[in-house]
Amino acid sequence: MKDNIYLGLVHHPIKNKRGDIVTTSVTNLDIHDIARSCRTFGMKNYFIVTPLEAQHKLVKRILGHWEEDDAGVYNPDRQDALAIARLVNSVEEGINKIKEIEGVEPLICVTGANFESNNGVETDLINNARLDKRPIFLLFGTGWGLHAQVLERAHFALEPIFGGSADGYNHLSVRSAVAIYLDRLNSASESLK
């Protein structure tokens, strides 16, 4: 993908099932699988967003393992994918890092399985970013979704992923949702050339 897109997996502020602000746990699978999707679809960086020091230690240990020569020899593709992962304390810190890299604040785009179906589509997002000459910071929530504190900062919200379940079941893992959205964004980018 030729567009400047950064991805953020947000662990705080997140909603629990009652709508309270919580911090969710980082998972090993999310680190690995989302990095692989990000690398496959040409994301500039993959930000893992958590303020918890214990989670920082875990993420650094996982990323550090794959930076070692032995791990790289064993699985160079994984080492390559994880090289774009970055650890930040907050969404704001991620925005600031993107601004340092790009020289302009990114368009913040949010996703959520519980969003209304009248949100924007991927071609609209790509068009807006190109017109404004701004990178995109695509945010995914964990737990029960992104808290209003994040949603209120968004410039754009993508439609949720709707499957074919007759009863409307819509509960993908965040890893699966990331891969689907990135594929859609790639297709949208290619169609707008």
Side-chain angles (χ1 to χ4, degrees), residues 94-107:
I95 291 168
N96 290 334
K97 288 194 179 291
I98 294 168
K99 192 173 176 182
E100 286 174 21
I101 295 166
E102 301 287 341
V104 64
E105 192 165 306
L107 284 175

Side-chain angles (χ1 to χ4, degrees), residues 61-166:
R61 193 172 85 232
I62 292 167
L63 295 177
H65 170 75
W66 291 101
E67 291 171 353
E68 295 173 8
D69 289 338
D70 290 345
V73 169
Y74 175 72
N75 193 338
D77 289 335
R78 185 159 302 173
Q79 185 182 45
D80 184 24
L82 288 168
I84 66 167
R86 304 286 180 267
L87 187 58
V88 293
N89 289 298
S90 65
V91 170
E92 191 64 37
E93 185 180 342
I95 291 168
N96 290 334
K97 288 194 179 291
I98 294 168
K99 192 173 176 182
E100 286 174 21
I101 295 166
E102 301 287 341
V104 64
E105 192 165 306
L107 284 175
I108 300 168
C109 178
V110 292
T111 61
N114 57 356
F115 286 3
E116 297 294 321
S117 63
N118 60 354
N119 287 307
V121 294
E122 289 78 5
T123 50
D124 295 338
L125 174 61
I126 297 292
N127 266 332
N128 287 347
R130 287 179 180 175
L131 287 172
D132 291 347
K133 295 180 174 46
R134 291 170 67 184
I136 296 167
F137 193 15
L138 179 61
L139 300 177
F140 289 85
T142 52
W144 290 80
L146 296 166
H147 191 270
Q149 289 179 358
V150 176
L151 299 177
E152 290 166 0
R153 292 231 31 214
H155 302 102
F156 203 89
L158 287 175
E159 280 194 337
I161 297 168
F162 296 105
S165 177

Side-chain angles (χ1 to χ4, degrees), residues 9-12 23-32 34 46-60 62-63 86-88 142-143 174-175:
L9 182 63
V10 181
H11 295 278
H12 182 87
T23 303
T24 57
S25 296
V26 174
T27 69
N28 192 4
L29 284 174
D30 287 346
I31 294 170
H32 288 267
I34 292 174
Y46 160 38
F47 292 102
I48 302 162
V49 182
T50 180
L52 299 178
E53 185 56 37
Q55 296 293 296
H56 280 240
K57 288 179 183 175
L58 171 67
V59 173
K60 287 175 183 175
I62 292 167
L63 295 177
R86 304 286 180 267
L87 187 58
V88 293
T142 52
V174 71
R175 296 178 303 282

Side-chain angles (χ1 to χ4, degrees), residues 32-49:
H32 288 267
D33 288 354
I34 292 174
R36 291 162 63 188
S37 290
C38 286
R39 183 69 176 91
T40 297
F41 288 102
M43 300 298 100
K44 297 276 289 242
N45 284 129
Y46 160 38
F47 292 102
I48 302 162
V49 182

